[in-house]
Amino acid sequence: QVQLVESGGGLVQPGGSLRLSCAASGSIFSANVMGWYRQAPGKQRELVATITSGGITNYADSVKGRFTISRDNAKNTVYLQMNILKSEDTAVYYCNYKGRRPIDLKYLEVWGQGTLVTVSS
């Protein structure tokens, strides 16, 4: 199995910055996609950004130019640098892992427990 541990959430003023981290452990498949999703109160969970093990990134239009996703494959850790934060970025941010189980190559998707980001003055 794969476990995800997130960190870095908190309270920040509009225009500020935060960096989220997500460390994966367990049976990590070499080819995988890790990313961040968020869920605001009363809204559905939505994609924020993803990055493949090869470094290909994808962003939601709402965060392009403000957020940067990166990863350290040696540490199995993905980061989300969030700049110019807005009140509408307030949400619980969830780390996500998509890969395969090494033992039988079955598809595996894992979610972190979530970390709260609050943007408010």
Side-chain angles (χ1 to χ4, degrees):
Q1 266 293 4
V2 173
Q3 297 79 38
L4 302 175
V5 177
E6 302 145 333
S7 60
L11 173 64
V12 63
Q13 291 187 341
S17 299
L18 275 178
R19 190 174 86 149
L20 306 181
S21 299
C22 173
S25 62
S27 301
I28 307 296
F29 196 70
S30 57
N32 61 70
V33 181
M34 293 185 71
W36 294 92
Y37 292 71
R38 66 187 181 186
Q39 187 167 17
K43 294 188 176 181
Q44 289 189 331
R45 192 173 297 189
E46 63 178 7
L47 168 75
V48 177
T50 61
I51 184 167
T52 70
S53 46
I56 298 172
T57 59
N58 180 48
Y59 294 92
D61 287 343
S62 59
V63 306
K64 283 180 181 177
R66 300 188 299 121
F67 292 10
T68 301
I69 191 168
S70 61
R71 64 188 291 165
D72 183 336
N73 287 335
K75 297 181 179 179
N76 291 319
T77 299
V78 64
Y79 307 95
L80 185 68
Q81 178 66 43
M82 304 184 292
N83 298 328
I84 317 174
L85 281 159
K86 306 175 181 179
S87 58
E88 51 263 44
D89 295 318
T90 294
V92 177
Y93 284 70
Y94 295 92
C95 183
N96 177 267
Y97 167 94
K98 295 183 179 68
R100 293 190 180 275
R101 301 196 311 182
I103 191 169
D104 56 13
L105 299 184
K106 286 188 177 180
Y107 177 77
L108 176 66
E109 182 173 20
V110 180
W111 291 93
Q113 79 282 1
T115 185
L116 178 62
V117 172
T118 303
V119 185
S120 175
S121 55

